Structure formats: structure tokens, C-alpha cells
């Protein structure tokens, strides 16, 4: 154990001047022999090598943060936009440092890093000493602040993540760029896209590891494109600052990344309802008609969106008073009928109107981004010439947040941040370079000062931050709901997201599933796609299948572009309307389960959507088949239909003790089996894992509509299992003070009798007074509820018991 003071390496100190290592494949310089090992604190070590320094911090025992200071240069700052300022990690107290002849070894109980003394190349090992990843050339630096990291990729390694990239889930073999881009008309493999999330999860021989390279600049990830055995990240000019995360499972790694970049706060329950959007509902009458039709036709719906035409000439924080003479009245009436209103806010502030208060107020206070000479930057978007707030300045965020006062007073419940890559059409009439600000435009960067090249990828995230903080100040009793198009790592702390301007094609339906799964891996648990496809016009079948996919994605929002045919779910004929109604009804039935999964994401960072490789990293069949089957929460496996004309198909059910039950038919199948599923147009293939209490609500008009009867489907199976359900008021923060209901259903099953104990935490009463307990596949001989004989019914090979909230349920089998 090295004493916690500066310590020289045993040999080599003060010898020949530091020699850098050989250049990497791109001519960047690399580290040389370790000349000094400096222990800076309990959880930090600095390695001096080849005139450069490598700083290793252990934010917790499964995470190591590595920063490079090139010769004469500095380390990246301690705090970054990505890092959760209220982190769930504690620097580990258990770091052991051993300086040996050949290597320096840094070890915690969950992770170890071995640095070779001769090259300072690193090798990362998991808790069992398995080498999860190692340096190829390692950390490297070039001219003018360039920096890179090269790691080795092994032949059978898979790489996931990188946010919304519309390419195969396994990212291996391609090169990607992280540069937030308004990618209207994007297609498969378009890159870069709206989001810049430099996060990946690798799986090698079933073992997971995570990497986050914290650079806000235009970074490039080459995942074995140039050389199949090399993963190289070019930071785009930021000092190298990366994090490696170890974990026992890929999901554990995703949780580790979420300890570093943060989790979603608890969202209002209505965020999980069905949302209706359109670019744009043009006036009050149109909005009222859509709302009325939704109700009359029996569609549950929680939110209606106001796209850009609600504003007066696209001036943010105004209303077009001809089209919307009484916004508060309209929003109030909608609210009385269970609809929340979500209003769009773009960053551009109309600059050419001397009467427009927001514009000159911002100008006078210095809130807008400027050129290096101090002149405000003006670029054209929807309102014409616009100023752009500098969301990387704290005072500007505060000002912007407060600008929502009027909208909040009108009753708006959520805010939709669009165009925040930031997108710019033209600058002085000339097409904007790469559709954004000129790179020399200045930003505050929270006091540090910098250019747009550095601020670009966090611009949208900081806008979302300003918005959510503003809503928290203006409506402290409400949980903010923000949806943002652009995002950087950590944006989940401020907002949800959608996948931008997709198209009404079958391939885009598949891309939508893929993008939401990748976003979840990359730390953004709450996402969705424009159901039906933003551009173009889906036919009924595509629309129906997209509504079914929407049932599964956390954000379930129907949206469509201006000048496309309208997209409300009754516009495709009776058959499709009834399929769509069924899909929305299923979503509302699943709400208690989905809300529990949301709570889990907010509590420990486990994503709601889980691509199969995250759960079954070593399953070869998962690898070959079913790339777009996925878990929703811990126990529901979805095989959405993403192919035209598909009315039956083979689906793969991975390993699960006790197997799987079809949600719709009750048919039981063993784990690790392929089964043939009927997939008529009205069927969304769903399987429930054994050992689950699946809570279901009645279909209803909106998420907060009270209900009397909760259904608990008890899927028996293993000898012991447990399952959870979470509930709270659906909004507000009282749950932080105990106003919640968290049930653990703990089951023991010896084959003759199944006993389920329900242990409850929190002081909120149980959801619903009547519980309908259904046990598919169980034929009861007797049922005891809290020790007393209870009447039951057996039908269709299952048992049904009416109970209230119980403490114990005992079912003797025939
Ligand atoms: O350039 O506000 O992605 O959802 O409807 C179009 C109008 C601007 C792009 C968004 C889309 C939204 C549209 N916006």
C-alpha cells in the first residue's frame, strides 16, 4: 500500500529525461515509461510518463475517470456538464495502489487498472480479474490540443450505445461523429444526428464494460472501421477525459454510467400516457375538435401539443391571439377533460421587431451569443433573423427559465424544446455552415469562456436545463416535463427526448425501436419516436404497427409534419382505428407496470427499455436472432412487429427460470425456445416472464383518472421470486417524504402451494381498494387471503380471486 503522499516510483526516477512512447496509428504522441507515481488523495493517483501526466480518479469503486495532461497542458476541469452535480457516487475509500517492477496496479473491490511501467498503457479488469478492455496505443495527443484514445477491440466484441445513431444496435465496424445536427430527412446510417452522446457499452465474452469520453466537441468514434481490432476516439480538440465502468452485467454498467451522468428525475405519471401532436394544430377550434374526438372515440390521451403556429409570428413566449384568443381558457378546459398542454419553445428569439420585449430585454442584459467582436450573432430560423441565448451562462438560464412565467400561468404543463442543436437555416441570407452557428461564436461556458466548437453539443442540454429549472421555480409543486431534441450525455437529468424528424416508412419503424434502445443504453431512459413517421404518410398497416411500438416506448406521441395528411388515429378507417384504440388501451392498462419501471430508472438508473444483449450478454441466439426484441422493465419481453405484411413469425424467448407466458393467450413456453407467434394486425406480441406480479389498471381516459380495481396477474414459476410495484400521487414531490406505496411481492412456491407475501413501504394507501388477482396456468384447490378462506374461480386453466390489498396469499394447487 502506497502512503497517501506523493511517491516516486521505485526505479527510473530522475534518470534520463522523459521519453514519450511511439506515435499512434495517426501520428499522435503517446505516453512513455512511468517516471513517477503520485498519490493525490484516497481515490486519486497521477502517473507521470513521457512528459505527460495521467490522472486516475475513482468516483466509486466500479468507475475510474482518466484524464490526460499532455506535456505543458492541463487536465480537463474537475466538473463537467455531463457529470451529475449531485452524484450518486462516493469516491472509493478502498483504492489500493501497488507499485511493482513491471506495472502499477490500482485496485478496488470492483475494478482494477494495471499500468505498464514501460509504456504506461492501461488494462482494465473486472472484479474477477477478467480483462474487460485494454489500451492499444492508449491516451495520445497531437498538435493544437488534439487528443485521442485507442483501445483494443477483440474479434467477438460487440459495442452498443452512442445515443440516437440510426444504425444497427451493434455499432461495431463503423465510424461515428458526435455533433448535434438538425437531421431532417435522416435515413438509416445517417450520421451525425440530433444527439451527441459519447457513451458506449462493450460486451466481450459475455463480460460488460462501459466507456464515456467526456468531450463536448465534435468527437469521432471509430469502432473498428479503419482497423477491426482498434477502437479509437478522437476528442475533437478537448483534453482527453474518459470514464471506464465495470459491472457484473451490462445493465449494471449502464447503472454505473448513470451514477456518473445522472438519472431522470421522477416524471409526472401523465408523461406515460398517450400524447397527440401535430405540426401544427392551428387554432383553438382545431385543438378542441381533436380533444373532443379523442374522448368521443374512446381514446385515452394525456397530452396535446402546441407546435410553432400557436405563437405570434413564431415569437417565443407569445400567443397568436387571433388563433388562440384565450389560451388560459382553452388550456383550462383541456385540463378539466384530462389533457395536459405541452408548448414548443425554440431557442431563436426574433430579432427584427423593435416591439418584441424578449428580444431587447435579452440584448440589453447581454444574454445572447456574440461574435468575438462582441456583436450579437444573428441567424435565421422560423421567425426570420434571431438572436440566440447563451444557455451556457447561469444568468441567462435563469432569465430564460423565468420567461416561462406566462405559459405556466396559462396552465401549460410541459415544454417541448426543438431546434436546439442549435439549428440555423441561414446567416445573413447565406446557408449556415453545417446548419448551425459559425464556430467562432462565443459562449460563457459557465465562466470559462469558449467558442461554439466547444459549446455546440451542450447547447440543447443547457437549454433544457434552463427550462426545467425555470418550471421548478415557477411551479414548485409540479414535476417538470420537458422534451428536447438535442442532447449530450447527462441530459436525462433535465429532459426526455424524441428521435426527431423520421419518415413514414417501415425501415424508420425499425430505426425508431433501435434508436430508443440505444438511447436507453446511452443513459437516456425516456424517449420515443414520432408515431407514424414525421414526414410522409403511413398507410394503415404501418400506422397500426407504429402505434403498437408506441405502446412500448416511454414517450408515446403521435406526431406529423406540416403539409402531410393528418394523423389522428381515426383517419385510417374503422379497422385501423380499432387497432389503434386497442393499442392505446393496452398502454393505459400497463401504466402501473410502466410507472414502476420509470421509478426504477429514476432511482437506480436501470433503463426502462432493455435491449436483449444487455440482459443476455452471453446468449448466442440473441446475438443472431431478434435484434429488435427487447425488455420493457424487468419482466415484459416485447417482439413488436416491424415488418410489412407479417401475420405470423418466429420469436425467440431467452433463458428465464420458469419460462414465459404469452400476455394475450396465456400459452406457456420454456426459456431458450423459439416459438411461432400469430401476429394479426391487432396483436402486439408480448411475453411475461415467470415469477412476476404484473399490475394492470383498467383502460381509461387519462393516466390520473382514478380507478377502483387493480388487476394483479401472478405469473408463477420458480421456487422463490419477487416482484415490485410502485405508486405515488403521480405528480409533485411528496413521494420524497414518504407519500408513496412500494410493494414487494415475495413468493415461495413448492409446487403444491404458492405463497405470495406483500410487503409494503411508504405511507400511501394501496392503489385501488379492490384487487383482482389472476394466476394464469394455476389451478387452485383452495385459496387463503390473509389466512382466511377466499372464494375463487377456475377457468381457462387459471385461477381468479377477488381480494383487497393483501398481506399474504396462499394458493394450494389441485
Ligand atoms: O424545422 O416545430 O423536429 O417535431 O414539428 C421544423 C416544427 C421544426 C422540427 C421538429 C418537429 C416540429 C417542427 N420542427
Amino acid at each position: 500500500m502506497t502512503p497517501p503522499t506523493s511517491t516516486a516510483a521505485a526505479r527510473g526516477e530522475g534518470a534520463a529525461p522523459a521519453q514519450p512512447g511511439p506515435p499512434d496509428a495517426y501520428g499522435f504522441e503517446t505516453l512513455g515509461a512511468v517516471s513517477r507515481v503520485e498519490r493525490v488523495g484516497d481515490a486519486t493517483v497521477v502517473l507521470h510518463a513521457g512528459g505527460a501526466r495521467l490522472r486516475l480518479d475513482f468516483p466509486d469503486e466500479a468507475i475510474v475517470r482518466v484524464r490526460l495532461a499532455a506535456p505543458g497542458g492541463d487536465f480537463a476541469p474537475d466538473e463537467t456538464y455531463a457529470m451529475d452535480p449531485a452524484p450518486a457516487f462516493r469516491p472509493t475509500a478502498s483504492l489500493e495502489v501497488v507499485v511493482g517492477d513491471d506495472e502499477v496496479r490500482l485496485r478496488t473491490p470492483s475494478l482494477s487498472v494495471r499500468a505498464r511501467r514501460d509504456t504506461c498503457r492501461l488494462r482494465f479488469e473486472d472484479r474477477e480479474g477478467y480483462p474487460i478492455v485494454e489500451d492499444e496505443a492508449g491516451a495520445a495527443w497531437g498538435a493544437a490540443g488534439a487528443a485521442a484514445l485507442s483501445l483494443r477491440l477483440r474479434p467477438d466484441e460487440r459495442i452498443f450505445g452512442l445515443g440516437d445513431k440510426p444504425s444497427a444496435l451493434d455499432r461495431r465496424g463503423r465510424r461515428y461523429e458526435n455533433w448535434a445536427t438538425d437531421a431532417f430527412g435522416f435515413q438509416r446510417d445517417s450520421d451525425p444526428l440530433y444527439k451527441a452522446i459519447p457513451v458506449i457499452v462493450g460486451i466481450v465474452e459475455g463480460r460488460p464494460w462501459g466507456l464515456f469520453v467526456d468531450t463536448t466537441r465534435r468527437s469521432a468514434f471509430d469502432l473498428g472501421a479503419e482497423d477491426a481490432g482498434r477502437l479509437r476516439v478522437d476528442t475533437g480538440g478537448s483534453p482527453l477525459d474518459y470514464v471506464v465502468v465495470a459491472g457484473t452485467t451490462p445493465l449494471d454498467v449502464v447503472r454505473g454510467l448513470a451514477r456518473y451522468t445522472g438519472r431522470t428525475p421522477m416524471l409526472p405519471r401523465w408523461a406515460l400516457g398517450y400524447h397527440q401532436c401535430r405540426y401544427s394544430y392551428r387554432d383553438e377550434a382545431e385543438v378542441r375538435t381533436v380533444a373532443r374526438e379523442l374522448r368521443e372515440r374512446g381514446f385515452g390521451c394525456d397530452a396535446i401539443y402546441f407546435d410553432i403556429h400557436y405563437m405570434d409570428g413564431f415569437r417565443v413566449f407569445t400567443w397568436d391571439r387571433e388563433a388562440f384568443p384565450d389560451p388560459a381558457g382553452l388550456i383550462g378546459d383541456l385540463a378539466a377533460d384530462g389533457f395536459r398542454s405541452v408548448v414548443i419553445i425554440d431557442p431563436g428569439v426574433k430579432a427584427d421587431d423593435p416591439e418584441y420585449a424578449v428580444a431587447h430585454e435579452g440584448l440589453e442584459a447581454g444574454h445572447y451569443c456574440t461574435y468575438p467582436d462582441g456583436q450579437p450573432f444573428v441567424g435565421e430560423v422560423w421567425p426570420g433573423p434571431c438572436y440566440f441565448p447563451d444557455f451556457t451562462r447561469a444568468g441567462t438560464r435563469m432569465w430564460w427559465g423565468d420567461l416561462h412565467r406566462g405559459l405556466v400561468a396559462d396552465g401549460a404543463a410541459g415544454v417541448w424544446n426543438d431546434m436546439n442543436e442549435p439549428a440555423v437555416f441561414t446567416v445573413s441570407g447565406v446557408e449556415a455552415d453545417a446548419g448551425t452557428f459559425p464556430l467562432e461564436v462565443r459562449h460563457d461556458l459557465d465562466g470559462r469562456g469558449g467558442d461554439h466548437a466547444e459549446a455546440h453539443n451542450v447547447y440543447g442540454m443547457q437549454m433544457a436545463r434552463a427550462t426545467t429549472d425555470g418550471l421548478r421555480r415557477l411551479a414548485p409543486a409540479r414535476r417538470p416535463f420537458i422534451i428536447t431534441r438535442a442532447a449530450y450525455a447527462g441530459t436525462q437529468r433535465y429532459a426526455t427526448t424524441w428521435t426527431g424528424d423520421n419518415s413514414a416508412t417501415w425501415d424508420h419503424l425499425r430505426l425508431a425501436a433501435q434508436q430508443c434502445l440505444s438511447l436507453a443504453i446511452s443513459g437516456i431512459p425516456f424517449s420515443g419516436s414520432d408515431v407514424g413517421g414525421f414526414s410522409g404518410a403511413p398507410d394503415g398497416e404501418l400506422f397500426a404497427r407504429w402505434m403498437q411500438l408506441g405502446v412500448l416506448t416511454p414517450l408515446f406521441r403521435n406526431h406529423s409534419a406540416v403539409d402531410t395528411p393528418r394523423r389522428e388515429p381515426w383517419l385510417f378507417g374503422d379497422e385501423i382505428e380499432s387497432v389503434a384504440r386497442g393499442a392505446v388501451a393496452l398502454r393505459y392498462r400497463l401504466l402501473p407496470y410502466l410507472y414502476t419501471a420509470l421509478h426504477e430508472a429514476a432511482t437506480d438508473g436501470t433503463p426502462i427499455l432493455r435491449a436483449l444483449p444487455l440482459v443476455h450478454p452471453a446468449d448466442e441466439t440473441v446475438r443472431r436472432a431478434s435484434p429488435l426484441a427487447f425488455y420493457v422493465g424487468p419482466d415484459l419481453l416485447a417482439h413488436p412487429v416491424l415488418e410489412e405484411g407479417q401475420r405470423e413469425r418466429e420469436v425467440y424467448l431467452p433463458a428465464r427460470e420458469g419460462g414465459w407466458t404469452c400476455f394475450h393467450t396465456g400459452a406457456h413456453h420454456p426459456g431458450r425456445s423459439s416459438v411461432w407467434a400469430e401476429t394479426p394486425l391487432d396483436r402486439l406480441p408480448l411475453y411475461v416472464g415467470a415469477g412476476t406480479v404484473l399490475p394492470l389498471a383498467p383502460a381509461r381516459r387519462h393516466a390520473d383518472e382514478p380507478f377502483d380495481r387493480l388487476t394483479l396477474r401472478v405469473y408463477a414459476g420458480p421456487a422463490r421470486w419477487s416482484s415490485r410495484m410502485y405508486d405515488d400521487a403521480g405528480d409533485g414531490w411528496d413521494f420524497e417524504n414518504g407519500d408513496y406505496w412500494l410493494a414487494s411481492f415475495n413468493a415461495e412456491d413448492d409446487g403444491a402451494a404458492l405463497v405470495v407475501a406483500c410487503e409494503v413501504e411508504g405511507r400511501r394507501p394501496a392503489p385501488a381498494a379492490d384487487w383482482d388477482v389472476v394466476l394464469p396456468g394455476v389451478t387452485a384447490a383452495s385459496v387463503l387471503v390473509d389466512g382466511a378462506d377466499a372464494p375463487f374461480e377456475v377457468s381457462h386453466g387459471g385461477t381468479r380471486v377477488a381480494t383487497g390489498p393483501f398481506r399474504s396469499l396462499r394458493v394450494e394447487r389441485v
Side-chain angles (χ1 to χ4, degrees), residues 279 307-308 344 382 416 418-419 485 498 501 530 534 557 559:
Y279 173 21
D307 204 334
I308 52 176
I344 197 168
W382 299 116
W416 172 17
D418 187 23
M419 304 288 282
R485 196 170 69 177
W498 89 107
D501 296 342
D530 285 351
F534 180 71
R557 188 183 73 153
H559 184 39

Side-chain angles (χ1 to χ4, degrees), residues 278 502-506 532-543 546 560-561 563-567 572:
R278 169 75 180 171
N502 57 2
S503 304
T505 68
W506 286 91
F534 180 71
S535 303
D539 64 14
E541 182 186 358
L542 177 58
F543 178 75
W546 217 316
S560 50
D563 296 334
T564 61
R566 290 273 292 253
R567 191 71 65 71
F572 298 84

Side-chain angles (χ1 to χ4, degrees), residues 668-688:
H668 184 268
H669 309 283
R672 295 195 62 92
S673 68
S674 287
V675 305
W676 202 251
E678 313 255 305
T679 56
L681 196 52
D682 62 357
R683 172 75 55 87
L684 165 61
L686 282 180
Y687 299 85
V688 190

